[in-house]
């Protein structure tokens, strides 16, 4: 079984709809992240969480919100989806092994907003 | 200027060839450096960290030049399975929240 899972894997929605992307991990890591990836752009950080009570905005948090329900679960919500939120979304966890923080990514969610 | 710049490629090389990718970064305060590999429509996976003295992992060698602010990845004896996009990643802080990802260089290894 994968250590970092994301649901759904693919989603088509309409402008104005609220949607939630979910991420679960079995790695026991405290730190979790949400990124989006667009063609021609590098991964960009949306939100991150260092533990259940710690939520932080990333580079591009506008239009998104998150919830850290438990150590193992970190959800990303689009309150009112718009077409430019069409992208590939990745959840990641990380640990501090070997003195450097190493990230482990989930398989991604492809979102299309019509 | 982008914070992390990579030649997007694609680099098309025959099996067995040696290929090198470069990456430049703009923030001189960058603290750590990585190469990630991303297969088509899949998630990025850590290939290797890049250390100041350079480091090697099998057929892969990474180099860092802090003075010129660039990082390189050398792949020797290319395999078909090396075909992927290689992401240069730079950390300007001490946590992964400060990672900046390059857009990637695509490698296609052919018979």
């Amino acid at each position: 079984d994968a250590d970092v899972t994301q649901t759904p894997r693919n989603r088509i929605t309409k402008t104005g709809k609220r949607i939630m992307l979910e991420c679960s991990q079995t790695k026991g890591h405290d730190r979790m992240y949400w990124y989006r990836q667009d063609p021609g752009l590098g991964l960009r950080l949306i939100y991150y969480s260092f533990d259940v009570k710690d939520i932080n905005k990333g580079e591009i948090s506008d239009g998104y919100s998150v919830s850290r329900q438990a150590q193992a679960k970190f959800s990303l919500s689009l309150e009112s989806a718009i077409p430019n939120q069409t992208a590939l979304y990745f959840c990641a966890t990380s640990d501090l092994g070997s003195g450097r923080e190493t990230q482990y990514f989930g398989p991604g969610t492809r979102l299309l907003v019509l | 200027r982008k914070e992390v710049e990579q030649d997007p490629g694609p680099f098309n090389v025959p099996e067995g060839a040696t290929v090198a990718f470069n990456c430049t970064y703009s923030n001189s305060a960058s603290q750590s450096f990585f190469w990630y590999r991303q297969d088509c429509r899949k998630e990025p996976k850590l290939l290797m960290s890049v250390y100041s003295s350079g480091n090697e992992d099998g057929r892969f060698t990474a180099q860092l030049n802090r003075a010129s602010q660039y990082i390189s990845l050398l792949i020797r004896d290319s395999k078909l399975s090396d075909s992927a996009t290689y992401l240069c990643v730079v950390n300007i802080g001490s946590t992964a929240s400060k990672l900046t990802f390059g857009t990637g260089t695509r490698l296609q290894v052919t018979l």
Side-chain angles (χ1 to χ4, degrees):
Chain A
D1 287 342
D3 295 321
V4 184
T5 57
Q6 292 183 233
T7 56
R9 294 295 312 280
N10 295 279
R11 179 74 184 269
I12 300 174
T13 191
K14 294 182 178 180
T15 296
K17 294 291 187 181
R18 181 182 187 277
I19 66 164
M20 179 182 289
L21 309 183
E22 301 191 9
C23 176
S24 295
Q25 53 114 346
T26 58
K27 301 186 77 69
H29 293 164
D30 287 325
R31 299 182 175 195
M32 298 188 73
Y33 304 79
W34 275 105
Y35 292 90
R36 65 178 280 177
Q37 187 175 37
D38 299 274
L41 298 176
L43 273 79
R44 292 181 292 166
L45 184 62
I46 305 172
Y47 269 96
Y48 62 100
S49 170
F50 285 173
D51 64 43
V52 175
K53 296 180 181 179
D54 177 78
I55 302 289
N56 302 281
K57 292 183 177 181
E59 178 188 351
I60 52 164
S61 59
D62 287 348
Y64 302 95
S65 62
V66 291
S67 173
R68 185 81 184 266
Q69 302 96 321
Q71 187 207 35
K73 295 184 183 296
F74 193 34
S75 300
L76 177 71
S77 293
L78 286 68
E79 297 300 326
S80 179
I82 56 176
N84 77 1
Q85 291 178 313
T86 293
L88 178 57
Y89 289 85
F90 288 107
C91 172
T93 73
S94 67
D95 67 8
L96 289 168
S98 304
R100 283 192 172 196
E101 192 164 344
T102 298
Q103 291 204 305
Y104 302 86
F105 288 85
T109 295
R110 290 193 174 277
L111 175 65
L112 174 61
V113 183
L114 299 175
Chain B
R1 181 184 173 188
K2 289 183 180 177
E3 291 186 54
V4 177
E5 291 204 59
Q6 296 183 250
D7 181 340
F11 284 60
N12 294 299
V13 302
E15 258 192 316
T18 295
V19 61
F21 308 137
N22 288 329
C23 163
T24 58
Y25 61 95
S26 61
N27 191 327
S28 60
S30 299
Q31 297 187 17
S32 52
F33 310 88
F34 309 87
W35 284 102
Y36 276 73
R37 170 193 169 128
Q38 185 173 23
D39 292 296
C40 188
R41 303 174 77 84
K42 297 285 184 67
E43 72 272 24
K45 293 183 179 179
L46 179 66
L47 178 66
M48 59 196 303
S49 297
V50 186
Y51 297 102
S52 297
S53 55
N55 49 296
E56 188 174 304
D57 183 1
R59 298 181 293 108
F60 299 85
T61 300
Q63 297 279 354
L64 168 63
N65 185 319
R66 284 190 184 271
S68 300
Q69 295 182 201
Y70 80 79
I71 307 146
S72 65
L73 177 67
L74 182 77
I75 305 176
R76 290 182 300 278
D77 188 24
S78 298
K79 311 291 185 190
L80 292 174
S81 57
D82 293 334
S83 298
T85 296
Y86 291 83
L87 307 178
C88 174
V89 184
V90 173
N91 196 338
I92 62 169
S94 58
T95 72
S97 62
K98 301 297 184 184
L99 289 176
T100 301
F101 289 77
T103 55
T105 296
R106 191 155 67 89
L107 171 66
Q108 183 66 52
V109 181
T110 57
L111 288 171

